């Protein structure tokens, strides 16, 4: 196992940061690393908004279930899937852009995710830590308003970055046979593996929380999935010009 | 710039591979690296299908615009967004799963992308090269059939991996001010930067193709976006139980 693979395997979300600034030069180098990720048909559909203004940070924190690190992390980036610059490219050549396709929503969103993962890995490689903030989507319309996002641009998630002030354990992942299949999908042994994994996850939580959380993976997932999942997302995205066809 | 950031910045798609096998042990270590990526609410919604069977590989190549490396790369992985195991978790606890939300489609797809990017970076760190195959979505229903994917599982993209037998140039990316904004979205200078970038891209293509391709970025994008973008995707995804609400 080389040092890069060891780095990838050592990922933990970091939510508590030292009061130590991250240089703008480093942030820009990380963004450039993100840009170097693969991009579907060269669309380069990711825009990052670096939010520095304390008032905006506080409001974004309100949108994101009051997660304190949204306002307190030294760096807070919002990754946006962006097809606005493609409209500009079309305008530059008097080409009528066909937009609204589900495929375009998917490729723009995936471009962003690949980009963001490069940023986070690059950050971790220089001793920073971070965590994605999907909870921005709790109130995505307000996030959109605060960041002044135009049509065809939507905020995928945030990313907190900074020098870690905590050292959490690595969270156990599903057994390999559940996630890696040969030649075709076959889940006939998944239940056995998940039952085994449930014991690992329960043990991880009880150890980490001194018994306060006593939950398996399947319990956690099933408790979450009996609830609605951000039901406002589809109408928000359609209003922005995505997922129309 | 440390060696990880240098690695991230040196990415090129590799489409031509040496006839040199990649060990299953290494493939599994890369998949484990993928699993260690962040996962939204711990859903771990990525399943990878490693396709070894030559007949299936040939059929997948047919689906993907006949890209020869789909059948010839030493390793071919298909990354699937998978909510089937969450249904199993719900069944294990007699919890009625609420599915079909756009938010769930998004989180499962993003989980996959973060996972896949870890796999590719890990691969590049040990001297492998690769390229994503979004063209599997050209005929996604056939890919789905070949891989026997159940409801709530869909193939996001493929990934070819192997030891490189080519050394392409790094493709220039958009100027930093186009993709990194401060505090809010502001695209008033984007056109100027894109015009500058167009010249770089034209020069990259003419040099690389000895003049055969003479195209700027905005020309390439605008030529693509006057066409329909895989218009079958929305109905396919709805049939699989995604994007219903």
């Amino acid at each position: 196992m080389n040092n890069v693979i060891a780095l990838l395997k050592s990922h933990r979300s970091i939510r508590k940061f030292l009061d130590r600034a991250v240089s703008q030069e480093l942030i820009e180098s990380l963004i450039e690393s993100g840009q170097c990720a693969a991009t579907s048909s060269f669309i380069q559909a990711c825009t990052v908004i670096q939010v520095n203004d304390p008032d905006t940070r506080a409001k974004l924190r309100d949108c994101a279930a009051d997660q304190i690190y949204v306002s307190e992390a030294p760096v807070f980036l919002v990754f946006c899937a962006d097809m606005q610059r493609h409209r500009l490219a079309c305008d530059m050549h008097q080409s009528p852009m066909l937009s609204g396709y589900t495929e375009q929503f998917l490729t723009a969103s995936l471009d962003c995710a690949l980009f963001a993962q490069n940023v986070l890995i690059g950050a971790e490689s220089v001793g920073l830590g971070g965590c994605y903030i999907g909870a921005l989507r709790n109130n995505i319309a307000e996030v959109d308003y605060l960041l002044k996002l135009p049509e065809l641009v939507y905020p995928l998630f945030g990313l907190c970055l900074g020098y870690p002030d905590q050292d959490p354990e690595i969270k156990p992942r599903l057994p390999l046979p559940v996630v890696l299949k040969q030649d075709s999908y076959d889940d006939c042994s998944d239940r056995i593996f998940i039952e085994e994994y449930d014991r690992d996850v329960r043990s991880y939580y009880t150890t980490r929380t001194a018994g306060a959380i006593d939950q398996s993976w399947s319990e956690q997932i099933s408790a979450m999935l009996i609830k609605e999942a951000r039901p406002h997302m589809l109408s928000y995205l359609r209003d922005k010009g995505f997922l129309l066809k």
Side-chain angles (χ1 to χ4, degrees), chain A:
Chain A
M1 188 159 76
N2 71 9
N3 67 331
V4 177
I5 293 179
L7 176 78
L8 298 172
K9 290 187 177 177
S10 69
H11 167 75
R12 302 90 29 90
S13 286
I14 297 296
R15 298 183 171 87
K16 203 159 172 268
F17 302 96
L18 295 174
D19 183 19
R20 178 178 161 195
V22 180
S23 75
Q24 189 61 24
E25 188 188 352
L26 175 55
I27 294 169
E28 293 182 3
S29 181
L30 295 174
I31 299 296
E32 285 167 355
S33 305
Q35 289 191 270
C36 292
T39 163
S40 177
S41 302
F42 207 25
I43 56 169
Q44 305 183 73
C46 180
T47 294
V48 181
I49 310 212
Q50 178 183 345
V51 185
N52 313 298
D53 177 62
D55 184 51
T56 310
R57 290 279 288 272
K59 288 175 179 158
L60 291 174
R61 170 179 160 181
D62 286 344
C63 294
D66 197 30
Q67 292 177 91
I68 189 166
Y69 27 100
V70 172
S71 57
E72 298 199 345
V75 180
F76 189 65
L77 306 174
V78 180
F79 288 83
C80 302
D82 186 340
M83 298 283 295
Q84 183 57 232
R85 69 176 61 114
H86 307 91
R87 173 169 289 172
L88 172 60
C90 288
D91 288 350
M92 286 166 69
H93 300 283
Q94 292 82 47
S95 300
M97 175 170 165
L98 296 185
S99 64
Y101 289 102
T102 297
E103 170 68 11
Q104 294 168 335
F105 170 76
L106 184 59
T107 50
S109 303
L110 296 179
D111 251 40
C112 265
L114 302 180
F115 186 127
Q117 187 63 0
N118 267 19
V119 171
L120 180 55
I121 291 166
E124 290 175 339
S125 80
V126 294
L128 296 166
C131 66
Y132 289 115
I133 307 293
L136 284 184
R137 298 191 303 271
N138 284 355
N139 193 349
I140 195 166
E142 178 69 10
V143 174
D144 183 297
Y145 170 78
L146 290 167
L147 303 181
K148 302 187 172 68
L149 304 184
E151 213 196 342
L152 293 176
V153 182
Y154 88 94
L156 213 59
F157 45 61
L159 178 63
C160 296
L161 289 177
Y163 292 96
D165 190 24
Q166 63 178 173
D167 186 18
E169 267 185 85
I170 295 170
K171 217 165 168 178
R173 295 306 203 247
L174 284 164
L176 192 69
V178 176
V179 303
L180 178 62
K181 315 286 187 191
Q182 300 297 321
D183 284 315
S184 64
Y185 196 91
D186 173 3
D187 58 355
C188 66
S189 302
D190 281 8
R191 185 172 180 138
I192 293 162
F193 284 114
I194 287 175
E195 284 168 349
E196 175 194 313
Y197 176 62
D198 272 348
R199 291 188 282 275
D200 295 344
V201 171
R202 189 183 300 281
S203 156
Y204 164 85
Y205 278 127
T206 50
T207 306
R208 203 181 68 145
T209 66
I213 301 180
D214 177 10
Q215 200 174 36
S216 73
W217 183 76
S218 65
E219 281 171 2
Q220 185 179 343
I221 294 299
S222 62
M224 181 172 72
L225 288 174
I226 54 171
K227 298 179 201 151
E228 292 189 315
R230 298 183 178 129
H232 53 274
M233 284 293 289
L234 185 56
S235 64
Y236 163 78
L237 288 166
R238 284 184 173 155
D239 285 348
K240 298 295 293 191
F242 294 107
L243 293 175
L244 295 171
K245 52 193 171 186

